[in-house]
Amino acid sequence: MRAVLYESFGGVPRVVDVEKPAAGPGAVVIQVLATGLCQSDVHAWAGHDPGITLPHVPGHELVGRISELGAGVSTLRVGQRVTVPFVCACGDCPECEGGNGQVCRNQTQPGFTHWGSFAEYVSIESAEVNVIPIPDSLDPGAAAILGCRFATAFRGLVGQARLQPDEWAVVVGCGGVGLSAVMIAAAVGARVIGVDIATDALELATASGAEAVIDSSGLSDDEVVARVREVTGGGAAVSVEALGRENTTATAIRSLARRGRHVQIGLYAGDPRIPMSDVIAGELTLLGSHGMAARHYPAMLDIIASGKLRPEELITRRISLDEVPAAMIDLANARNTAGVTLIVPS
Ligand SMILES: NC(=O)c1ccc[n+]([C@@H]2O[C@H](COP(=O)([O-])OP(=O)(O)OC[C@H]3O[C@@H](n4cnc5c(N)ncnc54)[C@H](O)[C@@H]3O)[C@@H](O)[C@H]2O)c1
Ligand SMILES: [Zn+2]
Ligand SMILES: [Zn+2]
């Protein structure tokens, strides 16, 4: 099969022929119909993820059809159109038994712990726990980003921050994750401010339901905080950082009203300093969001079916496998286009 492969961290990825994966016990092989290019793929390629073995095939946000069932898989069938949470849970550990497969201690992740979906086929472990059948009516782009960015934003705002109607939410970084967060917050009935340095990203934030946007390109961090406080009349109830930088994390936290909740989704190259004095004085809550367990997908799929959430509107570009190496280099150099890039392998 064809796949995007890199042999060193930061080394130019190439499209090569590699052996198609086989379905081990409990696993399935999925023929990839579409897969999203997420900033986490770039983090992994940069060497920020200690779990990766080289050479490596990235890609973790996918929709496809089951092409092969491993031994013991009886509840799924070949030909089913499916997605998977990028954090694939084991189903047996204390976290999984407690319903928190998104932090499973034995988790596998396509594109991180094993070869991923920038390929014609990908294998998924513990398939009966993780594979989520989705209707043929769901747009392939919408379905693919449910695997990572949209689901992570949904879990962060709905499951973790418990965002309420009429609360203000500020989203710093309006890329794939941030635009998903804007759309989800607006669907909850919250009032949303999008912050980004790119005007095309801010235009998409407005189209996704942001009531106000702040172009932070010419502003100091203090000025961004002041603008959020002005728009919200004293600070946001919920902040989301969807970028992974120390200063934007501090800006998001400092934009909160007292007792506000911060959701951290952006990943860092190294641990950041956090304005803990603000956290203490304002009794702020810091929350992480790490994907979303398969058992929480039906609630999100119901809202998508109702038309209130439209993830397909976040797809701005469709590319082939051959275009992936250049797109990864562009994303690593912040030359990405606004919205979500979708890869269609064949
Ligand atoms: N926690 C998780 O489970 C999880 C899941 C998915 C992605 N992530 C992480 O979330 C982050 C975002 O991923 P993505 O794919 O949406 O990235 P992206 O590249 O699509 O979006 C980043 C956005 O930030 C904007 N930006 C850049 N510098 C800025 C600044 N100084 N101030 C404000 N905005 C700025 C860019 O213009 C862009 O719109 C990454 O760190 C990724 O690894 C984490
Ligand atoms: Zn587990
Ligand atoms: Zn991702």
Side-chain angles (χ1 to χ4, degrees), residues 38-40 43 86 148-149 152 173-177 196-198 201 216 242-243 245 248 265-267 289-291 331 336:
C38 171
Q39 190 68 247
S40 299
H43 277 290
F86 78 92
C148 175
R149 286 171 286 183
T152 302
C174 293
V177 170
D196 205 290
I197 53 169
S216 58
L243 177 60
R245 289 199 187 174
T248 44
I265 301 181
L267 305 181
S289 184
H290 189 239
L331 191 54
N336 51 318

Side-chain angles (χ1 to χ4, degrees), residues 3-152:
V4 176
L5 180 125
Y6 54 82
E7 294 179 63
S8 62
F9 293 116
V12 176
R14 291 180 300 132
V15 181
V16 292
D17 281 316
V18 296
E19 204 170 320
K20 186 182 155 189
V28 295
V29 171
I30 294 173
Q31 181 182 13
V32 180
L33 297 175
T35 174
L37 174 57
C38 171
Q39 190 68 247
S40 299
D41 297 310
V42 171
H43 277 290
W45 177 41
H48 300 162
D49 192 319
I52 289 177
T53 313
L54 296 169
H56 186 65
V57 174
H60 59 280
E61 195 180 65
L62 66 117
V63 59
R65 281 196 194 281
I66 297 178
S67 64
E68 189 188 334
L69 304 176
V73 179
S74 60
T75 58
L76 300 165
R77 58 181 169 71
V78 168
Q80 263 178 319
R81 192 168 182 262
V82 296
T83 189
V84 290
F86 78 92
V87 180
C88 289
C90 75
D92 288 327
C93 74
E95 290 76 32
C96 286
E97 280 169 7
N100 286 305
Q102 75 282 359
V103 290
C104 167
R105 64 184 63 185
N106 304 317
Q107 65 190 253
T108 56
Q109 298 182 6
F112 300 100
T113 60
H114 63 282
W115 284 12
S117 56
F118 291 178
E120 290 177 286
Y121 295 89
V122 62
S123 84
I124 297 297
E125 308 294 312
S126 307
E128 292 190 342
V129 178
N130 296 299
V131 169
I132 302 155
I134 46 157
D136 277 352
S137 56
L138 190 60
D139 175 272
I145 67 165
L146 300 187
C148 175
R149 286 171 286 183
F150 205 84
T152 302

Side-chain angles (χ1 to χ4, degrees), residues 201-213:
L202 293 172
E203 280 165 18
L204 282 170
T206 302
S208 302
E211 185 173 326
V213 292

